[in-house]
Amino acid sequence: MVKVFLSTDFSEDRLKFAAQIGADGVSGAPEPRRGDRGFYTRGTLTATHDLVKSHGLEWAALRMAPWEWTYRWMLGLEGANEQIENYKKTIRSVGEAGIGLLIYNMHALRIYRTSTDAPERAGARATRFKMLDVEGAKLMEHPNSGVNTKLIRKKERRIITDQMLWENLRRFLEAVLPVAEESGVRLGLHPDDPPVPAIAGVARIMRSADAFRKFLDLVPSPNSGVVFCQGCFTEMGCDIPAEILDFGKRGKIFSVDFRNIKGELNDFQETFPNTGNADMTAAMQAYHDAGFDGWMTPDHAIHMDGDTDWGHRYWAYAVGHIHGLDQALRATAK
């Protein structure tokens, strides 16, 4: 049976809510504390994990360390080696705190969507991406970037190609995977979202299923795997059940973002699970057939009337949807 987690800021309200609606765990990156200078200390992660466990939940994954701690190694800038050394310290702390999974990505500018008010059913609102809205973006800048790109100095700004990013990823993996293996921590790579070739002069290499096959062969390790974001793989135009079976039967799906989109790569939006391009029932069946019984999350919220900014109402619906599909298919397979 799959286990469901929600992203959280580790507040009392969100942890309690996650437990009440039947989530099994949470993911997130806690606010750095004194002593967390470029990496998480064991104390910070252990204290946060104890808080999570006090609500009857598991900490499924440390999801995305702070951008300021990672962008230099991703972009190959001065200070990259120091950031990689600090990442090793975070991995050791993750293992010592009893957290089994660390999720990361390669989209260094963290540009995800171009609007937040795309119409959904009955007046609900969703995020949307339109390639036309990012064309012509200044080098390493965009108003919808989720990070402070001003930290990238003008003299460091240049076109970042596929080849450069693949080399940066290889260097990172060669350095950190031995530490992950020693620490008992799995590293799950999330696709680029959106999986377009480049935005603001920076390539986005994790944009196809074949790119993930290349990644797994780049520095092979039992502790290196895929965060199978269904939304992203749907944006890529993939055969979702076929890719689930391919990666899943190899034991390389470390967690799943069980969400849906409608539209196509250059113009798409988030949508409810049952109204998008992907057949979510067929996808869940593929996870069963692949022998996957790990962590899933609904990941992105549709904003419904009367909901909070975080999306309490939507998360309750989405967690129930995942559990319901999983249980129904397991019951019919008996």
Side-chain angles (χ1 to χ4, degrees), residues 88-315:
K88 293 179 185 179
K89 296 176 184 178
T90 289
I91 292 171
R92 292 188 182 101
S93 296
V94 168
E96 291 168 356
I99 307 161
L101 176 62
L102 200 168
I103 295 173
Y104 67 107
N105 63 33
M106 284 297 290
H107 37 291
L109 299 187
R110 302 277 175 95
I111 297 169
Y112 298 104
R113 299 291 181 266
T114 54
S115 65
T116 59
D117 59 355
E120 264 299 329
R121 66 186 180 205
R125 290 177 287 116
T127 60
R128 182 181 183 182
F129 174 78
K130 288 183 68 176
M131 190 65 190
L132 284 174
D133 293 339
V134 299
E135 290 180 352
K138 293 181 180 180
L139 186 62
M140 292 188 176
E141 287 186 18
H142 193 269
N144 288 334
S145 177
V147 296
N148 181 15
T149 57
K150 292 181 180 179
L151 291 176
I152 306 172
R153 298 186 289 267
K154 286 186 178 181
K155 68 178 183 179
E156 296 176 317
R157 299 191 177 213
R158 55 179 176 161
I159 298 292
I160 303 294
T161 65
D162 279 15
Q163 182 179 355
M164 294 162 71
L165 276 184
W166 277 112
E167 179 58 24
N168 296 344
L169 178 57
R170 181 196 61 76
R171 186 182 304 115
F172 172 75
L173 293 173
E174 287 179 344
V176 303
L177 281 172
V179 178
E181 292 173 11
E182 293 169 5
S183 303
V185 176
R186 299 196 298 173
L187 303 184
L189 179 58
H190 190 288
D192 281 311
D193 187 14
V196 295
I199 295 178
V202 178
R204 299 163 79 88
I205 56 174
M206 305 315 301
R207 60 179 186 260
S208 69
D210 284 343
F212 274 90
R213 283 183 269 273
K214 177 178 178 178
F215 151 70
L216 291 173
D217 291 336
L218 193 64
V219 185
S221 168
N223 290 60
S224 181
V226 178
V227 175
F228 197 91
C229 176
Q230 274 189 214
C232 293
F233 279 88
T234 303
E235 293 155 20
M236 296 172 195
C238 294
D239 181 330
I240 296 299
E243 298 299 351
I244 292 169
L245 291 171
D246 180 46
F247 291 109
K249 287 186 174 181
R250 297 159 61 188
K252 285 301 181 181
I253 296 180
F254 284 1
S255 74
V256 173
D257 293 354
F258 197 74
R259 65 179 181 88
N260 213 343
I261 63 101
K262 62 184 179 183
E264 50 86 26
L265 178 60
N266 292 311
D267 186 359
F268 67 84
Q269 69 182 63
E270 305 284 343
T271 191
F272 291 92
N274 62 332
T275 56
N277 295 5
D279 182 333
M280 304 298 267
T281 304
M284 185 66 80
Q285 184 64 61
Y287 291 115
H288 288 193
D289 294 342
F292 177 80
D293 60 356
W295 287 102
M296 286 188 175
T297 181
D299 194 35
H300 296 177
I302 306 299
H303 189 80
M304 299 189 289
D305 289 358
D307 209 347
T308 62
D309 289 340
W310 182 55
H312 288 73
R313 291 185 177 187
Y314 181 77
W315 295 135

Side-chain angles (χ1 to χ4, degrees), residues 32-102:
R33 302 182 183 186
R34 183 178 299 177
D36 295 335
R37 299 177 181 177
F39 61 93
Y40 282 115
T41 60
R42 175 181 179 176
T44 294
L45 298 185
T46 298
T48 305
H49 200 179
D50 288 344
L51 175 64
V52 170
K53 289 187 289 188
S54 74
H55 288 79
L57 297 166
E58 298 179 57
W59 191 350
L62 175 64
R63 189 175 175 109
M64 310 302 176
W67 176 81
E68 293 81 3
W69 297 357
T70 61
Y71 75 98
R72 293 195 164 272
W73 75 254
M74 278 191 273
L75 293 171
L77 305 178
E78 181 181 348
N81 290 338
E82 180 183 357
Q83 287 197 337
I84 290 174
E85 289 302 310
N86 281 338
Y87 208 92
K88 293 179 185 179
K89 296 176 184 178
T90 289
I91 292 171
R92 292 188 182 101
S93 296
V94 168
E96 291 168 356
I99 307 161
L101 176 62
L102 200 168

Side-chain angles (χ1 to χ4, degrees), residues 315-334:
W315 295 135
Y317 160 78
V319 167
H321 176 264
I322 293 174
H323 276 315
L325 264 183
D326 180 45
Q327 293 170 10
L329 289 175
R330 290 187 186 280
T332 56
K334 292 181 179 178

